[in-house]
Amino acid sequence: MASFISSLLVLFLISQNSCYSFRSPLSVFKRYQESTRSLSNDCLGTTRPVMSPGSSDYTLDIRMPGVTPTESDTYLCKSYRLPVDDEAYVVDFRPHASMDTAHHMLLFGCNMPSSTDDYWDCSAGTCTDKSSIMYAWAKNAPPTKLPEGVGFRVGGKSGNRYFVLQVHYGDVKAFQDKHKDCTGVTVRITPEKQPLIAGIYLSMSVDTVIPPGVDAVNSDIACLYNRPAIHPFAYRVHTHQLGQVVSGFRVRHGKWTLIGRQSPQLPQAFYPVEHPLEISPGDIIATRCLFTGKGKTTPTYIGGTAKDEMCNLYIMYYMDAAHASSYMTCVQTGEPKLFQNIPEIANVPIPVSPDMMMMMGHGHHHEDVHLEEDTDWPGVNLKVGQVSGLALDPKNNLVIFHRGDHVWDENSFDRNFVYQQRGIGPIQESTILVVDPNTSKVLKSAGKNLFFLPHGLTIDRDGNYWVTDVALHQVFKLGAEKETPLLVLGKAFQPGSDRKHFCQPTDVAVDPITGNFFVSDGYCNSRIMQFSPNGMFIMQWGDETSSTIPKPGQFRIPHSLTMVPDHGQLCVADRENGRIQCFHAETGKFVKQIKHREFGREVFAVSYAPGGVLYAVNGKPYYGDSAPVQGFMLNFSNGEILDTFIPARKNFEMPHDIAAADDGTVYVGDAHANAVWKFSPSRAEHRSVKKAGIEVEEIKEIEIFETHMRSRPKTNETTTEKQAQEKQTQEKQSVVQESSAGVSFVLIITLLIIPIVVLIAIAIFIRWRKVRMYGGDIDHKSESSSGGILGKLRGKGSGGLNLGTFFATHKGYSRKGFDRLSTEGSDQEKDDDDGSDSEEEYSAPPIPPAPVSSS
């Protein structure tokens, strides 16, 4: 009887544990839905100017101060005063915005803002005096940099003293979670006099009407130009949903010359003018917007809401400083007679592929994009060594950092992380290859006789290469056109943990606004270090992982870095903890982590692309693991996996680095396969896929930790819509859970009942035998033998099945002391039979103090 009760107790414990495991995915999913939200409320900017080291230039963050619009099509304005009274020049613009939140953004210059409030409704106006547009952004447009020697004049006697930021918030549904938005732009200002002054020419329709159902509707604007000559160098188009193409021309003596032509459904950036031209007095500037009324049931008018339309062409120009004008407009409807001769290309819509549309930043559209290997790209057959780093230069060329004939294996370092193969000398071949992204032709090579074991690579906006060498324990800054390093940090071949030493540093990331750079250090230190542009130490953060459940800010090999300039964050591939951690770049404060089952135990590399997409690659699975080695496409805001991808040619063996281009193209470099793959976006089916005619909606588990959520109480969903959504989610999951629970519960009961039945049969048999052998003495004998067979079976518990020991052995283990960590560079791959790691890196005792250096 006691055995029977013990068995029932075991059954109860296991069934309770099983029920918990069945509930867990739903509870995790619900917690994920409740806690995730857009991170666009990270107001990391400063109202104070940030000086550029070694230069008189400075940057100024111009952002919304944490606003939450309550109505759709809200226009909000915010003013910033120029920090100096002297004449200065704006030479660069860096946006901080996402089209998921902001419809478009304009930056004005003036001397008298319409309000002195912290921010205000723009219906009250932007400025009370004359204002000029200096910058415009929409649809996740990339940054705009002016040509050398060109700037917008501000301050002084004739320049504007105030910036006024105007943001149009289109759909208020983006703010259902009540988060605070800090959309804006960072401007770079120099006091150095610029010989050429930049300005904006705005051609705009004010009276166009688009009839419903009409295939093609033209909106024409034209003005005679009578100012001093201007030289257009960039243009930007803007319409809403019905715009097909916008074209701008210079008309001189009846000849039409194209200034710029683009689809307004593409990122609304300032695109460079293809052919230089001059607009002189007597020329006509003519613009045509082509619309379609298909699908509409009512007329569409020019207006300020997302349901209205606009027809705008912004021409960015420069002119001589002596008679410069910073802003001109044209709102005059063009004469039909003039536009009879417009080139036919103005009437031809520019096709926008679904792939490009998907990559433009709408979070729900990202779900429909799938990455596939470009099997026509010959770069996968490049002859390279172990590929350790990838990056894209300002011209969008692919740059590869590889190890040539050097290999990282078990003989490379001693137990104190000192490199043991200095005698073979540095790599004699070029370790840095600049490759054409289309043909894979090697355009340029560098890095001969400099490195021993290359690792990380990043490229700043000026085209400088930042690399790490784990054998040298150093970080290098290399000019794109120079062989001699511009900056070297760390002591050659000396591992250490102080401010002047690294221990196998893995990667570098450069802040495009401040120029500060970050170093992940590394295999034997667990920290992120921040330096000024000239290499002065600023701060560091991070600790070694101390338990099987790593805490925020703890690392087990911070292996890869990527800047997320849209949100002012730095994200780290925390390799051996199998997660991505993100931090405020300015403070090092933890923001969140992204961790999925699909990652497995390792995340090797991470890369961010404008528009809110994060890309990552994991490591080769350990013995018994089910997560395959693959690439990931992630929604940065909520961490959701949007897509996974693998090569069609060869196989991932140890994908070591990943680089993402603005157009959605992704490159992956492998340190074991010695190969680089190119992946291109293509339209995919919705992630709710149909299998065998039955629609199966995929539900992902994710862990998102945000600092502000740590002590958050449970929320009560009160609205009917939320209750309906939760009920629908629970109903969908209950089908899966009940089916799985039913099968598992029956299996467990069956397995437990069998030994119980056997025990009862044995007891009955024994009792029958004793009755035959002892007759009436059976009661006394049975009491004295209660420690017999059943007692012995219970006694086995101390040396046999112990639930505490059993479950403890399945909770993971802690790698401490001299346990080996997984490796990357060895030719010896993981053994599928024993699950051991390959032979590149090892965990070792704390680093001994570095020798005192006189330098």
Side-chain angles (χ1 to χ4, degrees):
M1 187 65 185
S3 176
F4 182 76
I5 293 174
S6 289
S7 299
L8 289 178
L9 179 61
V10 172
L11 173 62
F12 175 77
L13 290 173
I14 295 179
S15 62
Q16 284 285 68
N17 187 70
S18 302
C19 292
Y20 177 80
S21 68
F22 296 138
R23 287 196 305 269
S24 182
L26 177 58
S27 59
V28 171
F29 180 71
K30 287 175 63 180
R31 289 198 302 271
Y32 152 68
Q33 281 198 320
E34 290 172 359
S35 64
T36 57
R37 60 181 176 79
S38 171
L39 296 174
S40 60
N41 64 326
D42 294 332
C43 303
L44 304 176
T46 173
T47 57
R48 296 175 298 177
V50 178
M51 302 301 298
S52 300
S55 170
S56 55
D57 296 0
Y58 60 91
T59 59
L60 185 65
D61 247 2
I62 303 173
R63 299 206 194 188
M64 283 292 157
V67 299
T68 306
T70 57
E71 296 181 3
S72 295
D73 293 312
T74 296
Y75 285 76
L76 297 181
C77 288
K78 165 74 177 177
S79 67
Y80 285 78
R81 196 186 193 288
L82 191 69
V84 296
D85 292 327
D86 297 335
E87 185 174 277
Y89 302 86
V90 177
V91 295
D92 198 5
F93 301 91
R94 310 289 293 189
H96 307 283
S98 168
M99 67 183 293
D100 289 336
T101 302
H103 181 272
H104 72 262
M105 170 174 63
L106 295 175
L107 183 65
F108 295 86
C110 67
N111 286 310
M112 297 182 66
S114 293
S115 176
T116 58
D117 293 342
D118 194 27
Y119 67 93
W120 67 92
D121 190 319
C122 298
S123 60
T126 54
C127 300
T128 58
D129 64 335
K130 183 180 178 181
S131 63
S132 59
I133 296 176
M134 304 176 68
Y135 177 72
W137 172 97
K139 292 185 179 289
N140 288 345
T144 297
K145 189 172 183 179
L146 305 184
E148 194 72 27
V150 176
F152 284 88
R153 184 160 51 197
V154 293
K157 295 181 179 180
S158 56
N160 298 313
R161 290 181 171 80
Y162 281 87
F163 298 104
V164 177
L165 175 68
Q166 181 194 86
V167 179
H168 174 198
Y169 295 100
D171 190 350
V172 77
K173 291 180 181 178
F175 292 90
Q176 287 180 337
D177 60 357
K178 307 299 182 183
H179 74 267
K180 299 181 182 299
D181 180 70
C182 303
T183 292
V185 60
T186 297
V187 296
R188 186 176 181 182
I189 302 172
T190 180
E192 296 182 9
K193 191 175 183 65
Q194 303 295 294
L196 302 171
I197 303 302
I200 296 286
Y201 185 102
L202 172 58
S203 182
M204 177 175 64
S205 173
V206 295
D207 57 5
T208 297
V209 179
I210 304 168
V214 179
D215 285 350
V217 179
N218 296 326
S219 177
D220 297 332
I221 310 107
C223 286
L224 179 68
Y225 184 76
N226 54 14
R227 303 278 188 92
I230 60 175
H231 300 265
F233 63 87
Y235 68 96
R236 173 183 176 268
V237 304
H238 179 70
T239 72
H240 295 170
Q241 296 180 358
L242 304 184
Q244 303 291 293
V245 63
V246 180
S247 307
F249 298 88
R250 181 196 70 183
V251 184
R252 176 180 290 177
H253 307 306
K255 182 179 179 180
W256 293 65
T257 303
L258 182 66
I259 299 173
R261 171 177 176 265
Q262 189 55 276
S263 167
Q265 304 309 323
L266 292 173
Q268 294 183 4
F270 276 96
Y271 294 92
V273 172
E274 293 186 9
H275 303 290
L277 75 160
E278 180 184 82
I279 298 177
S280 303
D283 293 339
I284 296 174
I285 300 177
T287 301
R288 167 167 286 181
C289 296
L290 176 65
F291 295 99
T292 179
K294 293 177 64 176
K296 305 295 289 186
T297 57
T298 58
T300 305
Y301 300 90
I302 297 296
T305 75
K307 296 180 180 179
D308 298 321
E309 267 301 337
M310 288 186 174
C311 171
N312 295 356
L313 173 66
Y314 300 85
I315 301 173
M316 193 176 286
Y317 60 83
Y318 64 80
M319 60 193 308
D320 187 76
H323 36 69
S325 178
S326 61
Y327 185 58
M328 310 179 206
T329 60
C330 171
V331 295
Q332 182 176 323
T333 302
E335 293 290 337
K337 184 177 180 180
L338 172 68
F339 281 85
Q340 287 178 355
N341 300 314
I342 191 171
E344 185 59 27
I345 58 170
N347 303 317
V348 180
I350 293 180
V352 180
S353 69
D355 301 340
M356 179 61 72
M357 290 292 291
M358 295 304 101
M359 295 307 298
M360 284 171 50
H362 285 301
H364 57 279
H365 283 174
H366 285 151
E367 297 179 359
D368 298 330
V369 177
H370 178 61
L371 285 174
E372 295 181 349
E373 184 190 350
D374 185 345
T375 54
D376 295 327
W377 192 62
V380 74
N381 297 315
L382 282 170
K383 301 300 181 183
V384 291
Q386 293 182 334
V387 179
S388 62
L390 297 177
L392 295 165
D393 67 15
K395 297 180 180 178
N396 219 35
N397 294 317
L398 175 66
V399 182
I400 302 171
F401 196 33
H402 72 107
R403 296 173 183 160
D405 58 354
H406 284 205
V407 174
W408 188 344
D409 59 25
E410 69 275 15
N411 299 313
S412 298
F413 295 90
D414 66 12
R415 301 189 69 82
N416 294 318
F417 307 105
V418 176
Y419 187 57
Q420 299 296 295
Q421 297 170 342
R422 295 175 60 176
I424 63 176
I427 303 168
Q428 296 182 0
E429 61 185 287
S430 297
T431 54
I432 299 174
L433 304 178
V434 182
V435 175
D436 186 288
N438 298 314
T439 66
S440 76
K441 178 182 178 182
V442 177
L443 305 176
K444 187 174 61 175
S445 60
K448 290 182 178 181
N449 297 311
L450 279 177
F451 306 111
F452 286 77
L453 279 180
H455 201 276
L457 165 69
T458 194
I459 301 175
D460 62 27
R461 69 178 189 177
D462 296 321
N464 298 307
Y465 303 149
W466 296 79
V467 300
T468 68
D469 189 308
V470 291
L472 289 168
H473 306 287
Q474 288 181 306
V475 175
F476 298 83
K477 176 184 179 182
L478 303 171
E481 305 298 332
K482 297 181 179 180
E483 286 287 338
T484 304
L486 303 176
L487 179 68
V488 181
L489 295 181
K491 305 296 183 181
F493 301 109
Q494 293 183 18
S497 57
D498 58 23
R499 296 181 178 183
K500 294 185 178 181
H501 290 82
F502 302 104
C503 191
Q504 296 177 345
T506 54
D507 204 7
V508 180
V510 183
D511 190 321
I513 305 300
T514 65
N516 293 339
F517 64 94
F518 304 83
V519 178
S520 49
D521 181 39
Y523 284 98
C524 32
N525 288 327
S526 298
R527 61 180 178 175
I528 306 298
M529 305 180 72
Q530 183 183 11
F531 297 88
S532 69
N534 59 2
M536 292 184 61
F537 175 84
I538 297 175
M539 63 178 293
Q540 71 178 36
W541 71 87
D543 295 297
E544 184 180 358
T545 300
S546 58
S547 65
T548 55
I549 302 177
K551 299 176 182 179
Q554 292 185 337
F555 302 106
R556 185 174 283 150
I557 305 183
H559 195 258
S560 172
L561 301 176
T562 188
M563 289 297 305
V564 185
D566 302 355
H567 299 281
Q569 294 182 24
L570 174 77
C571 291
V572 184
D574 186 5
R575 196 181 99 173
E576 298 297 305
N577 284 326
R579 62 180 178 173
I580 299 167
Q581 294 193 72
C582 297
F583 304 86
H584 290 316
E586 291 185 358
T587 65
K589 185 178 180 182
F590 174 80
V591 177
K592 67 174 180 177
Q593 79 166 10
I594 301 174
K595 184 176 177 66
H596 288 274
R597 275 186 203 163
E598 291 87 342
F599 287 170
R601 302 194 197 184
E602 299 172 335
V603 176
F604 267 75
V606 63
S607 179
Y608 179 79
V613 185
L614 204 61
Y615 299 90
V617 287
N618 66 348
K620 192 173 182 180
Y622 287 61
Y623 177 77
D625 289 349
S626 59
V629 58
Q630 58 189 334
F632 299 87
M633 179 180 177
L634 305 158
N635 184 314
F636 174 77
S637 293
N638 59 29
E640 178 187 0
I641 295 178
L642 303 174
D643 186 36
T644 59
F645 53 94
I646 58 174
R649 298 175 294 174
K650 298 186 177 181
N651 292 310
F652 282 155
E653 296 181 28
M654 185 176 281
H656 193 266
D657 202 9
I658 187 168
D662 292 351
D663 64 357
T665 302
V666 175
Y667 301 89
V668 176
D670 196 299
H672 270 175
N674 296 359
V676 179
W677 290 270
K678 178 181 179 180
F679 297 88
S680 300
S682 63
R683 185 66 178 271
E685 294 183 3
H686 192 272
R687 295 192 69 82
S688 173
V689 297
K690 292 187 177 181
K691 299 177 182 178
I694 302 175
E695 187 170 349
V696 181
E697 184 167 335
E698 297 179 347
I699 298 177
K700 304 288 185 180
E701 283 191 37
I702 181 174
E703 295 179 43
I704 294 281
F705 297 94
E706 299 188 6
T707 51
H708 67 278
M709 300 297 293
R710 287 178 182 170
S711 59
R712 179 181 61 82
K714 294 182 179 179
T715 58
N716 294 320
E717 297 185 354
T718 57
T719 64
T720 303
E721 180 181 356
K722 287 184 177 179
Q723 289 174 348
Q725 289 175 348
E726 183 178 359
K727 182 178 180 181
Q728 184 179 10
T729 302
Q730 289 174 343
E731 288 175 351
K732 288 181 179 178
Q733 287 212 348
S734 67
V735 175
V736 180
Q737 291 176 1
E738 287 171 9
S739 175
S740 301
V743 174
S744 301
F745 193 79
V746 170
L747 180 60
I748 292 170
I749 290 176
T750 302
L751 293 175
L752 290 174
I753 285 177
I754 290 174
I756 292 173
V757 172
V758 171
L759 290 173
I760 293 173
I762 293 173
I764 292 172
F765 176 77
I766 293 172
R767 185 176 182 86
W768 174 75
R769 291 276 302 193
K770 287 182 178 180
V771 167
R772 291 191 59 185
M773 294 174 63
Y774 301 105
D777 295 332
I778 184 65
D779 292 337
H780 175 74
K781 294 289 185 181
S782 64
E783 288 179 13
S784 65
S785 62
S786 62
I789 296 175
L790 296 179
K792 290 179 180 178
L793 286 171
R794 287 195 297 272
K796 293 270 187 181
S798 61
L801 176 62
N802 182 303
L803 286 178
T805 305
F806 175 81
F807 290 123
T809 59
H810 289 71
K811 290 182 180 177
Y813 61 95
S814 175
R815 289 175 171 172
K816 295 181 180 180
F818 301 96
D819 291 347
R820 290 187 299 176
L821 295 178
S822 66
T823 68
E824 66 171 46
S826 170
D827 292 331
Q828 302 174 16
E829 298 184 19
K830 296 176 183 175
D831 189 340
D832 291 336
D833 293 328
D834 62 13
S836 64
D837 302 328
S838 53
E839 300 291 334
E840 179 184 320
E841 303 117 15
Y842 299 83
S843 178
I847 302 167
V852 177
S853 174
S854 59
S855 59

